[in-house]
Amino acid sequence: MQTLLSEVEGRHAALLTLLRTAAHRGSPAQPGEARTNTDRFLAQASRHTAAATWILLPPVARHLPAGRAEVRDHLRAIRRLERTLVRAKAKEYGQAQTIQVPWPSVWSGVHHHLGRTIAAERRLAAMLGEHLDSDDEARVRERFTRAVAAAPTRPHPHLPHTGLSGHVARTLCAKLDALWDEVEGRVTSVAY
């Protein structure tokens, strides 16, 4: 039976696979392959972090003994990860401030912050699984799955992440990101 923890872990495994593919910048088989791989990873990582913030953090705050502190800590980790994702996108698209930054440094930062975020999310999902009954856990898991599909495809570390303002920001950003993805020709879809 699928649990919230197994759902989160499966998505983490997929993200790590996408990261390995994106970070491998050897000679690509096709022109544009490196950018496509980077775009896919960035889009899925952005979707995942937005969905985790939107769906997992409210029940953490409500149901766990130190829930509010856990939420604050997780939001800090998410913002750090999102800032490294912004840096990777800037590097991929040739932003002047990132020209001198080598790709291994960019991917190292992404890997570090993604690893910390994954560890925290696994812990939170496991704790939620212990505190929620099976029906509530199934509802959270289903909402999380739907939220990933509807989340923004770009990181937004400086926008609100929680509450009504976070919900409005996420909804607007998802629509704007889809528009910009189309304009830029970003490949954001992947079996995830």
Side-chain angles (χ1 to χ4, degrees):
M1 180 176 126
Q2 183 85 342
T3 65
L4 177 60
L5 180 58
S6 64
E7 174 74 20
V8 168
E9 288 178 333
R11 292 185 181 278
H12 289 158
L15 283 175
L16 289 170
T17 298
L18 288 170
L19 175 57
R20 278 190 297 278
T21 302
H24 182 277
R25 299 190 68 87
S27 57
Q30 300 291 323
E33 183 178 12
R35 177 171 281 185
T36 297
N37 292 339
T38 298
D39 283 344
R40 282 187 177 135
F41 166 74
L42 293 173
Q44 295 311 313
S46 296
R47 284 178 172 148
H48 178 87
T49 58
T53 301
W54 183 14
I55 303 302
L56 299 182
L57 294 188
V60 165
R62 277 193 307 274
H63 297 289
L64 300 183
R68 293 192 191 285
E70 295 282 356
V71 167
R72 278 191 306 274
D73 291 345
H74 195 65
L75 285 172
R76 276 194 289 273
I78 290 274
R79 284 191 173 100
R80 283 186 207 110
L81 173 60
E82 287 178 330
R83 284 192 296 269
T84 63
L85 296 176
V86 167
R87 188 177 187 194
K89 184 176 183 302
K91 175 74 173 165
E92 184 62 56
Y93 283 81
Q95 188 178 53
Q97 293 90 340
T98 62
I99 289 174
Q100 298 299 320
V101 180
W103 270 114
S105 173
V106 171
W107 290 125
S108 175
V110 169
H111 194 272
H112 171 75
H113 290 293
L114 181 61
R116 293 184 68 165
T117 301
I118 284 173
E121 283 178 7
R122 281 183 179 146
R123 192 171 53 76
L124 293 178
M127 288 190 298
L128 276 176
E130 293 171 5
H131 284 82
L132 298 176
D133 65 37
S134 60
D135 291 339
D136 286 340
E137 183 182 8
R139 277 190 286 279
V140 170
R141 188 182 72 248
E142 176 59 33
R143 287 183 64 224
F144 178 65
T145 300
R146 285 193 318 264
V148 168
T153 58
R154 295 159 188 255
H156 299 282
H158 303 294
L159 294 179
H161 283 65
T162 58
L164 180 60
S165 58
H167 176 71
V168 170
R170 211 175 8 265
T171 302
L172 290 174
C173 287
K175 292 176 191 303
L176 290 171
D177 289 356
L179 174 69
W180 278 110
D181 291 343
E182 186 70 27
V183 169
E184 290 180 341
R186 284 183 78 220
V187 178
T188 59
S189 62
V190 66
Y192 174 64

